[in-house]
Structure formats: C-alpha cells, structure tokens
Amino acid sequence: MAKIKKNNYVALVIEDERPLLEAIRMKLEKNGFDVVGARKVEEAFNHMKDVEKIDAVWLDHYLLGSENGLDFLARIKQEDSKWKNVPIFVVSNTASPEKMQTYLRLGAVKFYIKAEKRLEEIIADIKSFLENGK
Amino acid sequence: MELNVSIYSVFSLLAASVDLAIGFFVLSKNYASKVNRLFFISSVALFVWGLGEFLQRSTTSYNLSYLFFIYLVPAGSVVYPPTLLYFLNNLIDNKKINTRIINFSLYIPALFFLILRYINPKLFVSNMTLKYWGYVPVFSDFYFLFLLYVAFFVALATIISIVYSLQSKGRIRKQAIFMAIGCFVATVSGLLTQVFAPIFKIEIPEMSLTFSAVYSAFIAMAVTKYGLMTLTPEKVAKDILKTINDFIIVVNNEYEIDLINDAAIKKLNYKQEDLIGRSVSKLLGTDFIKIKDSLTDKKNFQLNILTKIGENIPVSFEISEIKDSKDKIFGYVILLRDMQEMNNYINELQKKTNALLGKGKILEEQQRAVLNILEDVEAEKEKTKKFADRLDLATKSAKIGIFEFNVAKNLLTWNRQTENIFGKTRKRLLGDLNVWLKESVHPEDQARVKMEFDQAFTEKNDYESVYRIVWPDKSIHYVKHSATIKTDDSGKPVRAVGVIWDVTSEMEVDRAKTEFVSLASHQLRTPLSAINWYTEMLLAGDAGKLNKEQKQYLEEIYHGNQRMVELVNSLLNVSRLELGTFAIEPEMCNITDLAEIIVKEISPEIAKKKQKFTKKYSKNIPQTMLDKKLTIMILQNLLSNAIKYTPEKGKVNLEIGLEKGCLQIKISDSGLGIPASQQNKIFSKLFRADNVRATDTEGTGLGLYIIKSILDNVNGKIWFESIENKGTTFFVCLPPTGMIKKEGTKGLA
C-alpha cells in the first residue's frame, strides 16, 4: 500500500482484476491521489475502517468473493453508515441499463463502461467532483 | 214464514256462507281442476246443510221446522262427508288409493242414508222440540248410526290430512298443515257438541257447522299464502314450458302443430298464430317425417330448423310419442336443442387452442394431439362430449389449465389441471377472485395482475399475463395466462374465459440466457480494458518518454482495440436480439428531440469531412411512445453510415415526418451506394458490400442487421433506394402509435 500523505485525496479502488487495479492505482497516483486497493467487498470494508479519510471510491461490479459492487454500495449507503456521503464512481464492463439505473438509484455518482472510457477521463471527473462538488 | 233467530243459528248460517264463498274462491283459482271442483261441491253441500239447519231452528212453525229437517238438511249433511274424502283423495292423488272404485264406494253409505232418510224419516227423528236456540229434532235410535257415519268420515278426513301433512315436504307440507288444523277444529267441535253432548245429556247447540268457518279460514290461508289448489302440476308445467330454453313442439298424428313453446317462437321469429295448425315440415323440412321414421333411438339426431327470415339453425332432435292409457298414439312431442350456441362455444375453445398452439412451447407430440382434436371437431361438432373428453386429455398432457370468471357472480371457476398448476388439491374448484389473488399470486405481483385484469375488462380486450404464483409449499412458479373477455348484447363484459400454463422452465432458460450475455460481456471486455488502459498510460508517457515510432505503433494498438470494443458491443446486441432477451421500454417523447442528440454527436465528423448536412422535420409530428435507446441506435447507425460512406464535400440529408401511416425517418446521402447485385444481402449478419470493403475496412457488418432486427421487434420496417456511386436513401417506418412494451431482462447497450 502506498504511503498516505496528508494533503492528498484518498481513493479506495475496488477492482478484482489485478492488472486493471494496478493500472488504476498508477494513474490515480500520477494524478496526485493516495490509493488503497481491494479485490473483494469485505477487504474494502476493512480499508474503510482502517483509513480515517477516504474521499472517493472507484467501484467495479463483479468482484472476488460472493458479494458484488451492488452489495458494497447498498451497505455503505445504509442510514446508519458513517460513510454514506463518500462519493462512489462505478466503473464496470457489466453495463445493462437496468444495472446502471440500480447503481445510480442507490446513490452512485456516475457509471462508466470500463472498455469505453479512458482512465484520464474518469480521473478528471472524480477530481472535478471532489474540487467543485460536481 | 216467521223467524225467531237465535245468535247460534246466525253463526251457523254465517259459517256455511263463508264456506260457500271460499268454495267459489277456490273454484275461481282454477276452474278446470278436478280438485278445485270437488272442493267447491263439498262447500255447496256444507252450505245446504247450514242453510237447512238455520231454517229448521229459526222458523216459529213446528211443521215447517220438521219439513226443513227431514228434506233440506240431509241433502247437505249426507252428501258432505264422502265429498270431503273424495276431495282429499284427489288432492293427495296417491295413484293406488285415488281410484274410481274407492271414490265411488265412498258414496255407498251416503246413498243408503239418503234413501232411508227420505223414505222413512221417522227412523231418525220422532218429533221436534223447542230449545232456547230454536227447534231441534228429538232423535230416534237410527239417528245415532247416522251420526257415527258422519263422525267416522270426518274424523277419517282429519287423520288423512294430518298424516299427509307429516309425510309431505316443502310447500305441500305447509298447505297440508293448514288444511289439517282446519279439519281438526271442525271435527273435534262436531264430535263434542253433536256426539258427546247428547250422550251425556248436556244441552248445547250443535257447533260443528260454526267451527267449519275456522276450517274455511285455514283453507283460504293455505290457498292464498301457499298456493293450495293454485300451483297445480298443469300450471307449473306451463311455467316450465315458458322458462325452458329448448324448443318444444307438440304435434298431432298428422304432424300439425298443436303447441309450440315461447323459446321456439322467439328464436324462429314467428308468431304463435303463424304456426298453430300448420304442418311441422314448414319448420323442419319435408324430409322430417322420413328422417323421424328412420331413427332407431329417436335421440341425438341433428337437423336444421328454418326461421321466418330464412336462417337455418342447427338443432339436435328428439321425438317421443303421446299415448293415452290404452297406448293409442295421439301425437308427438318434439324436443329441439339449439346447437348454435354450443357450436359457438366449441369455436371459441378452438380459437383459444389455436392461439395456444401458436404461442406455447408445447412439445410437438402434444401439438399433434391437439391438432387431431381440432380436425375431429371440424368433422363432427355435435359430439361435444367426446370433444370435451379429448380436450381434457390434451390440456392435461400439455399441462394447460382452463378457467372462467363470471362478472355478475364475481365467481372464478377452474378445472382440475389449473388446480395442479397451482400445486393444490382442493375438491371445490371455484372461488372469489380476490381470495384467489391473495392466496396464490406472489405478493409482489398481486397489484399488477389485478390491474391487468381490470384493464382487460374495461377495454374488453383479450390479454396475456405472466406472473409468479406461490405454491402451498412456498415454492415460487411462473405462470402465463391468456384470456378472452366475453360481452353481452349490449357490449357489457360478462365473463372471461382463459387458459393458463406453467412457464417456470421457460423463465429459467430466459434468465440463464441473460446471465450468459451479461457474463460474456464482462469477460470479453475485461482484457480489452487492460489493453486500453495500459496503452493509454504508455501513450501518456507514464512509463517514460516514447520515440515517434513507438508512439505511432501504440496508437495503432489503441485504435484496433477500440474497434474490438465496438465489435464486442455489436455482437452482444446481436446475441440479445437473437436470444430474445432484450426489453422494449417505450416512453412518451418526440422523435425530433432524439434526432437532435445524434445530430449534435455527428457534427464534428461532418465538419471533418466538409459534408453538407441538411435536416427537415415536419411540424405535425406528435409525441410518441418510443424506446429512446433503440430509436437513437437506429438514427445513430444510419447517419454514421451515411457520413462514413459519403466522400468529402458530399451531401447527407435527414428528414422526419408522418407518411402513409408511418412515423418515417428518411436518411439520404450522395455516397458510394449499394451495388445492385448485393442489395438483397444488405441486412444479412456480418455482410459488407464489395465497394465499402474496398474503401473502408473498419465496419462490422452488424449495424444494419441489428437495426433490421430491432425494427422487426417493434413492428417497424426498413427499406432503401440506392444507385452505386450516386447515393443511397434509407427509409425507416415506425408505427405512429408507438412501440409496444416488451418485458425482457436487458436493454441493448
């Protein structure tokens, strides 16, 4: 795990494919983020508990383990969750309109189709959201 | 004649008069009935008796009183008892007892006493004596025998009435109870005052006649309240004839119509007077008599009956002879049953079965079984029972249930097979619609099922529905039902008839297909994503600065990978279309708004190729129910093709308008055109025309195939006009009523 600097944004990336997770991590760090990575939901929650301040979550749908991205989102958005205001960006290749709608309805900020988006575009969006709130 | 009237005599006369009045009343109810006439005769006898007694008591002349007693009184008192029994015997009408001999023998003692009293009155009365209520006879020894005769007959009548009332049921019982009470009161009072009083030397006036008024009152109540002597079999039979729906014709030996019931008159459009006395061949044809004689069992034969307006109605035909007690034939009763409705019902079932054959995924064998039935039905519709049995067998083997909902009774009925589909084994196959919804339909589907049901009734439309049901063991099953709404003459819905079958396995297959596409899309795209992103990072210099050639090669990799992503997207769309798992989700929108989105998207490309783009939207385009994604996909594909295959500075034109029952999109270009020899293959999967393959290698050959498939699914059309090297115009016709919703598990991406 990279060392967390004080003034950087912290992003939690939840992605099961190791090469993709690494690419995202590198690109985010290039863009001044601190990154924690997870490959399954439970692992992601452990990070959420360990790391005081997580500014944004990068979330895939299919993950290792029995739970998927929707389960993570549903849990994090629960009424009593202390992370319910953390913005979530879903980046997945499983992109039926129904699934996209479900993610957005549950409170995801945006849904990207992985194969069709450049890393830079997504990261620019996240940055702009964190800086301007949109 | 001078009268000295005592109050007892007045009661006596009054009672006799009431009796007579009731006699007339009963007679007026049904003068043709023997029972009513007998009752009337008995009441006349009672009246004569009462009148005689009144005169005998009230005259001041001894001689006159004596004459009244010996001549007038017996005419009533002797005749009354057997007539009462005769009346009862006919009323009860037990065939063993109500015989001529028994009824005749009732009058033998009466005849004996009547003759004796007229020939030798001294045997009954010695002289008259004056009491405080008038003259009364001083009886001789023989009179006591006469009293016994009267008392025996009247008591017998009372006992018979009581036994009858105890043995009968329903309305008859109520009639009989009233009669028995009346008889009992009159008899007991008579026995007390006329038999026991003289024996014990008590001086009271004879009261039996007075109490007969009570008898009359009870009879009157039985008549008015419970239809005694009013609701006779003849009367009821007439009413039955009126209500029965079958046609009944009574003919004489010459086959001339004696009687025809109302149902037949109404259906045949005739008036009663048109037919009575006419030959029945007018209705059933001249061959009818031959047909009748050739029948062996005289049943289940079919022929046509001719209405006044010349219409032939198919009827089943039964005939039976009318015979008197000596087996002499007086004519025939012809019973005809209208088969038109039965045939309609069969047609309806047949239609339903046809629909099933078209839609249901029934195994070929089962289809054949049903088809066989249909052929048989065509050939011999009258054998409805056979048909019903075989349909039952077919629906059983195809596991199709049948149900019916009656609006007026709010009653749902279903067959055994339906019960099986719901995993239940109840004996009663009927119930309330709402109870059924609550008990059987999955809680999340109840509101929708009810709404669809109500809507079908409001719109009087046939409809289909797929929903989940919950078995008693809590397992969840999918069923599909298809129903027809039936209306009455005024167009009001009266019932729904439908079929239902289990589609759980189909739904599971659908889900499996969808899951496959979903997983495939994920698996295919993941490695492409890795290539994309790592290439992107290399190009961005994230791993160090690249030289010109390295950069150029990586850009080729990146571009090739982008094409691969598009190809995967197209292939996934194709598989969704082919698996039938994609959804159509129309919403109200204006197609020109959708077109504008695409126009904006393609404008950089147009600018790059310096093409001239024009557009024209008609002003009368209404808001339409369209699936936005699908519509955009159509517009996007056709416009990008037009741009791609039109050279620089060429023309691309977009028009949208209402044309000949179409919401029409027209996209024309001045591009390469489609070679005439390949125009018939242009919508085939993966096909690319030679001329475009030569100039551009990047197309997938899937775009037009996808569009065509989408349009086939939304009842739209696509065609084109094209000349090679001059240009192409594509026409798309969308139904102006919009797209129809299709439940699916995925939209196209």
Side-chain angles (χ1 to χ4, degrees):
Chain A
M1 198 190 301
K3 219 178 167 187
I4 294 169
K5 293 174 202 159
K6 272 206 170 159
N7 296 324
N8 281 356
Y9 286 124
V10 181
L12 167 63
V13 178
I14 313 170
E15 163 67 62
D16 61 329
E17 288 281 333
R18 197 185 293 283
L20 296 184
L21 177 57
E22 285 314 310
I24 299 162
R25 181 201 300 281
M26 285 188 274
K27 199 71 187 171
L28 276 170
E29 283 173 0
K30 278 250 176 244
N31 281 277
F33 280 82
D34 288 331
V35 178
V36 277
R39 298 177 71 196
K40 51 174 138 180
V41 171
E42 236 9 86
E43 201 185 332
F45 268 101
N46 289 337
H47 286 315
M48 297 288 287
K49 284 173 204 156
D50 292 347
V51 182
E52 284 268 317
K53 162 186 157 273
I54 291 211
D55 298 299
V57 176
W58 176 304
L59 178 67
D60 188 12
H61 175 71
Y62 281 113
L63 299 170
L64 295 185
S66 58
E67 289 179 299
N68 62 30
L70 273 175
D71 299 314
F72 175 81
L73 185 59
R75 272 167 66 181
I76 212 165
K77 290 292 177 188
Q78 272 170 5
E79 236 353 88
D80 53 356
S81 159
K82 60 176 172 178
W83 303 297
K84 67 181 172 194
N85 293 321
V86 178
I88 313 253
F89 297 82
V90 186
V91 187
S92 173
N93 272 326
T94 318
S96 70
E98 288 77 10
K99 213 158 262 166
M100 286 166 107
Q101 271 169 24
T102 314
Y103 271 106
L104 296 174
R105 212 177 50 231
L106 283 174
V109 177
K110 258 194 155 173
F111 192 110
Y112 302 93
I113 296 172
K114 208 186 276 177
E116 292 175 2
K117 280 281 167 187
R118 284 147 48 86
L119 286 169
E120 266 174 7
E121 290 178 78
I122 304 173
I123 292 169
D125 267 8
I126 297 175
K127 258 190 159 168
S128 144
F129 183 88
L130 292 176
E131 277 159 15
N132 313 316
K134 63 178 179 181
Chain B
M1 182 177 76
E2 274 185 55
L3 293 175
N4 178 14
V5 183
S6 104
I7 186 81
Y8 302 107
S9 310
V10 171
F11 277 138
S12 188
L13 183 66
L14 208 61
S17 309
V18 169
D19 267 324
L20 186 64
I22 299 291
F24 273 112
F25 170 60
V26 166
L27 191 65
S28 74
K29 283 280 172 190
N30 187 358
Y31 61 87
S33 155
K34 191 176 178 186
V35 177
N36 294 41
R37 288 200 302 254
L38 283 171
F39 182 82
F40 174 70
I41 293 168
S42 78
S43 68
V44 170
L46 207 63
F47 176 72
V48 171
W49 187 358
L51 182 69
E53 217 168 67
F54 171 77
L55 292 171
Q56 160 228 308
R57 285 177 188 174
S58 305
T59 179
T60 49
S61 152
Y62 176 91
N63 287 337
L64 269 177
S65 173
Y66 182 72
L67 288 176
F68 281 135
F69 180 76
I70 64 166
Y71 290 118
L72 192 53
V73 171
S77 64
V78 178
V79 175
Y80 177 69
T83 311
L84 180 64
L85 277 176
Y86 190 10
F87 154 70
L88 275 176
N89 202 9
N90 269 277
L91 180 74
I92 297 167
D93 200 23
N94 181 327
K95 292 289 174 217
K96 279 185 195 155
I97 303 171
N98 186 17
T99 62
R100 263 182 212 196
I101 294 173
I102 289 183
N103 287 330
F104 178 75
S105 49
L106 289 174
Y107 282 89
I108 293 172
L111 204 64
F112 166 74
F113 280 114
L114 203 60
I115 293 167
L116 215 58
R117 278 184 73 156
Y118 283 129
I119 293 174
N120 195 351
K122 287 286 174 201
L123 282 173
F124 298 89
V125 58
S126 54
N127 59 354
M128 305 298 282
T129 176
L130 194 63
K131 302 279 183 180
Y132 61 90
W133 62 86
Y135 280 111
V136 291
V138 178
F139 297 127
S140 309
D141 298 342
F142 232 76
Y143 191 78
F144 196 66
L145 197 64
F146 175 72
L147 271 184
L148 270 180
Y149 150 71
V150 175
F152 175 73
F153 268 55
V154 176
L156 189 62
T158 306
I159 291 163
I160 289 173
S161 312
I162 291 170
V163 171
Y164 180 49
S165 70
L166 291 177
Q167 284 179 349
S168 48
K169 289 199 173 75
R171 178 193 294 277
I172 302 284
R173 176 167 204 163
K174 285 174 182 148
Q175 296 175 353
I177 287 173
F178 273 86
M179 209 168 61
I181 295 172
C183 261
F184 183 76
V185 172
T187 308
V188 169
S189 63
L191 285 174
L192 288 176
T193 59
Q194 263 150 295
V195 180
F196 294 109
I199 290 173
F200 296 105
K201 308 268 189 248
I202 300 165
E203 286 203 348
I204 55 164
E206 296 160 345
M207 295 296 286
S208 65
L209 271 169
T210 309
F211 280 101
S212 73
V214 177
Y215 166 61
S216 301
F218 275 100
I219 291 283
M221 277 173 77
V223 173
T224 51
K225 199 163 175 197
Y226 297 112
L228 175 67
M229 291 178 273
T230 311
L231 291 175
T232 60
E234 296 89 340
K235 169 81 173 63
V236 175
K238 267 188 195 160
D239 290 340
I240 290 171
L241 270 186
K242 268 192 187 147
T243 53
I244 209 160
N245 277 328
D246 293 339
F247 309 158
I248 295 170
I249 303 173
V250 179
V251 296
N252 62 15
N253 279 335
E254 279 79 45
Y255 301 104
E256 290 162 352
I257 298 172
D258 280 339
L259 185 150
I260 180 161
N261 71 336
D262 290 357
I265 293 285
K266 199 174 151 208
K267 185 82 186 182
L268 300 176
N269 258 316
Y270 279 107
K271 287 180 184 155
Q272 191 95 24
E273 55 265 32
D274 295 340
L275 294 173
I276 300 295
R278 304 289 297 268
S279 170
V280 75
S281 60
K282 181 173 176 174
L283 298 175
L284 296 173
T286 42
D287 287 343
F288 152 74
I289 292 157
K290 261 189 264 164
I291 292 168
K292 174 215 139 233
D293 289 337
S294 69
L295 289 179
T296 48
D297 64 349
K298 312 217 186 296
K299 269 186 180 177
N300 289 332
F301 187 79
Q302 268 212 45
L303 42 74
N304 286 326
I305 189 164
L306 191 67
T307 69
K308 194 173 184 180
I309 54 168
E311 188 192 357
N312 272 317
I313 299 175
V315 287
S316 77
F317 166 85
E318 285 180 34
I319 186 162
S320 55
E321 292 152 346
I322 305 172
K323 292 175 181 172
D324 68 359
S325 51
K326 285 170 190 150
D327 267 4
K328 187 178 165 215
I329 295 175
F330 274 94
Y332 303 91
V333 177
I334 302 169
L335 177 68
L336 304 166
R337 178 159 294 169
D338 187 351
M339 296 302 285
Q340 216 166 33
E341 284 210 358
M342 190 70 87
N343 291 348
N344 287 344
Y345 183 64
I346 294 170
N347 283 336
E348 196 179 291
L349 266 180
Q350 191 187 338
K351 247 167 68 189
K352 213 69 263 179
T353 317
N354 270 334
L356 261 181
L357 283 174
K359 290 168 198 157
K361 291 175 180 174
I362 306 166
L363 291 172
E364 214 177 80
E365 273 178 84
Q366 292 159 344
Q367 283 192 352
R368 213 174 299 130
V370 178
L371 274 172
N372 281 339
I373 290 164
L374 293 182
E375 278 166 20
D376 291 352
V377 166
E378 227 16 86
E380 30 185 327
K381 277 181 186 166
E382 76 275 13
K383 295 187 176 170
T384 49
K385 192 183 173 307
K386 197 170 158 193
F387 170 80
D389 286 350
R390 293 181 67 174
L391 181 70
D392 195 38
L393 206 67
T395 52
K396 240 183 226 160
S397 68
K399 301 203 167 132
I400 297 167
I402 300 172
F403 64 90
E404 185 172 334
F405 176 69
N406 183 314
V407 180
K409 294 181 186 157
N410 189 31
L411 186 71
L412 192 65
T413 50
W414 56 90
N415 69 351
R416 179 60 53 200
Q417 188 52 43
T418 309
E419 188 76 355
N420 295 342
I421 290 171
F422 283 84
K424 294 182 180 175
T425 52
R426 292 166 297 190
K427 288 224 169 75
R428 275 166 63 84
L429 302 178
L430 63 145
D432 184 279
L433 179 67
N434 292 319
V435 174
W436 167 79
L437 265 176
K438 276 226 161 60
E439 281 181 353
S440 300
V441 177
H442 192 284
E444 285 172 20
D445 291 352
Q446 283 173 7
R448 176 173 62 86
V449 172
K450 179 85 171 91
M451 196 191 74
E452 285 171 348
F453 204 78
D454 291 345
Q455 198 177 356
F457 268 98
T458 324
E459 291 167 5
K460 298 164 201 164
N461 273 340
D462 292 1
Y463 83 110
E464 283 186 355
S465 180
V466 178
Y467 47 92
R468 288 167 292 174
I469 58 168
V470 184
W471 278 28
D473 64 8
K474 306 285 175 223
S475 61
I476 291 168
H477 299 247
Y478 283 84
V479 293
K480 180 168 188 170
H481 81 230
S482 166
T484 302
I485 309 293
K486 294 276 132 199
T487 54
D488 63 10
D489 294 342
S490 66
K492 213 176 92 190
V494 286
R495 65 202 166 93
V497 187
V499 287
I500 187 162
W501 65 99
D502 191 299
V503 291
T504 310
S505 55
E506 283 96 322
M507 294 303 280
E508 275 163 5
V509 169
D510 266 3
R511 217 172 23 230
K513 285 182 195 169
T514 309
E515 200 53 35
F516 165 75
V517 175
S518 171
L519 262 170
S521 74
H522 179 255
Q523 300 292 20
L524 288 170
R525 280 166 170 163
T526 298
L528 298 177
S529 308
I531 299 171
N532 251 359
W533 287 351
Y534 279 98
T535 318
E536 180 195 333
M537 287 198 289
L538 285 172
L539 280 169
D542 291 351
K545 203 168 174 349
L546 303 176
N547 68 30
K548 201 180 155 199
E549 274 180 327
Q550 286 169 330
K551 208 166 182 176
Q552 190 194 335
Y553 295 171
L554 276 174
E555 257 159 17
E556 286 301 335
I557 294 173
Y558 189 74
H559 182 66
N561 200 51
Q562 283 299 318
R563 275 176 60 196
M564 198 66 189
V565 169
E566 271 169 39
L567 185 63
V568 165
N569 284 349
S570 294
L571 279 171
L572 289 173
N573 280 342
V574 167
S575 68
R576 279 187 192 127
L577 280 163
E578 289 181 350
L579 291 172
T581 56
F582 82 106
I584 303 170
E585 290 174 330
E587 47 192 312
M588 234 357 148
C589 60
N590 197 313
I591 189 168
T592 55
D593 295 342
L594 304 179
E596 279 304 297
I597 296 173
I598 298 302
V599 168
K600 204 172 152 196
E601 201 179 294
I602 57 165
S603 55
E605 197 63 26
I606 287 175
K608 202 166 129 193
K609 290 184 87 172
K610 293 173 194 145
Q611 288 165 339
K612 192 181 171 216
F613 177 74
T614 47
K615 59 182 183 185
K616 192 176 147 197
Y617 305 143
S618 298
K619 289 210 173 93
N620 58 354
I621 297 169
Q623 293 271 322
T624 319
M625 288 295 280
L626 297 171
D627 183 309
K628 286 183 177 172
K629 257 195 144 60
L630 298 181
T631 313
I632 284 178
M633 202 180 280
I634 294 166
L635 284 161
Q636 205 262 347
N637 251 292
L638 290 174
L639 276 171
S640 67
N641 274 354
I643 295 163
K644 200 192 292 179
Y645 302 123
T646 299
E648 290 196 355
K649 296 181 184 170
K651 287 181 200 160
V652 174
N653 177 51
L654 165 68
E655 283 179 40
I656 299 175
L658 287 172
E659 293 279 336
K660 295 173 199 156
C662 281
L663 178 55
Q664 187 175 285
I665 305 165
K666 182 178 166 192
I667 292 167
S668 42
D669 62 54
S670 61
L672 298 174
I674 303 158
S677 63
Q678 297 185 331
Q679 291 192 354
N680 58 346
K681 295 185 196 153
I682 198 75
F683 294 114
S684 311
K685 186 160 47 173
L686 296 168
F687 177 80
R688 303 194 68 222
D690 292 341
N691 57 344
V692 301
R693 249 195 331 210
T695 54
D696 168 79
T697 51
E698 294 196 0
T700 59
L702 289 171
L704 286 175
Y705 173 74
I706 291 173
I707 293 177
K708 176 80 166 56
S709 302
I710 292 173
L711 285 164
D712 286 346
N713 276 290
V714 300
N715 291 325
K717 274 186 290 200
I718 181 166
W719 68 98
F720 62 88
E721 292 162 0
S722 182
I723 299 170
E724 206 175 349
N725 295 322
K726 289 235 164 130
T728 307
T729 304
F730 272 94
F731 300 88
V732 168
C733 168
L734 293 171
T737 45
M739 298 176 180
I740 294 164
K741 188 176 169 68
K742 173 175 170 281
E743 297 279 350
T745 35
K746 294 277 164 180
L748 295 185

